[in-house]
Amino acid sequence: MSVVMAFIVGGAICVVGQLIMDLTPYKVTPGHVLVGFVVGGAILSALGLYQPLVNIGGAGATIPLSGFGHLLAQGALGAVQTKGLMGAFAGGLQAGAVGLTAAILFGYIMAVLFNPRG
C-alpha cells in the first residue's frame, strides 16, 4: 500500500508542476517552477504541513524538489534548536550534504564517461 500512496502523492506533486507550466504565460519557465517547489516545500515544512504529507506518501513526497525544500527547512530548524541562530545557516546544508555530494559525484562520473555535448 505504501508504494501506491507514494505514487499518488508524487504524481499529484508532478501534476501541480505540470499544470503551473501549462496554464501560466510563457514567462514562467521550468526553472521558476523548480525554485517555487523548493521554496514551497520549505515554507510548508516550516509551517508543519509537509511532514504529514511525507508520513502519508513517503518517497513520493521526499523525492520531488519540494522534498528538498522540506529537507533544508528541517535541517535548519534542527540546527537552530541545538546550536542557536547560527545553526540556521549551516543546518540545511548539513542535512542535504549527502544528496548534494552524490549528485555532484555521479554527474561528474557520467560527464567523464559519456562525453557530453554542449
Side-chain angles (χ1 to χ4, degrees):
M1 188 64 175
S2 63
V3 174
V4 173
M5 290 308 296
F7 179 77
I8 291 171
V9 170
I13 292 171
C14 293
V15 165
V16 168
Q18 190 64 48
L19 287 173
I20 290 170
M21 286 192 291
D22 288 347
L23 300 176
T24 55
Y26 291 116
K27 293 179 182 178
V28 176
T29 65
H32 292 112
V33 175
L34 297 177
V35 169
F37 270 163
V38 172
V39 172
I43 291 170
L44 289 174
S45 179
L47 295 174
L49 301 174
Y50 203 82
Q51 188 59 46
L53 191 63
V54 171
N55 295 342
I56 294 169
T62 57
I63 291 178
L65 282 173
S66 54
F68 181 64
H70 170 66
L71 174 73
L72 292 176
Q74 290 302 306
L77 291 173
V80 165
Q81 292 174 350
T82 59
K83 299 177 184 174
L85 184 59
M86 292 306 290
F89 298 106
L93 291 176
Q94 288 175 344
V98 173
L100 291 171
T101 303
I104 292 169
L105 178 67
F106 291 130
Y108 177 75
I109 291 170
M110 293 301 120
V112 169
L113 291 177
F114 295 106
N115 192 18
R117 295 181 222 163

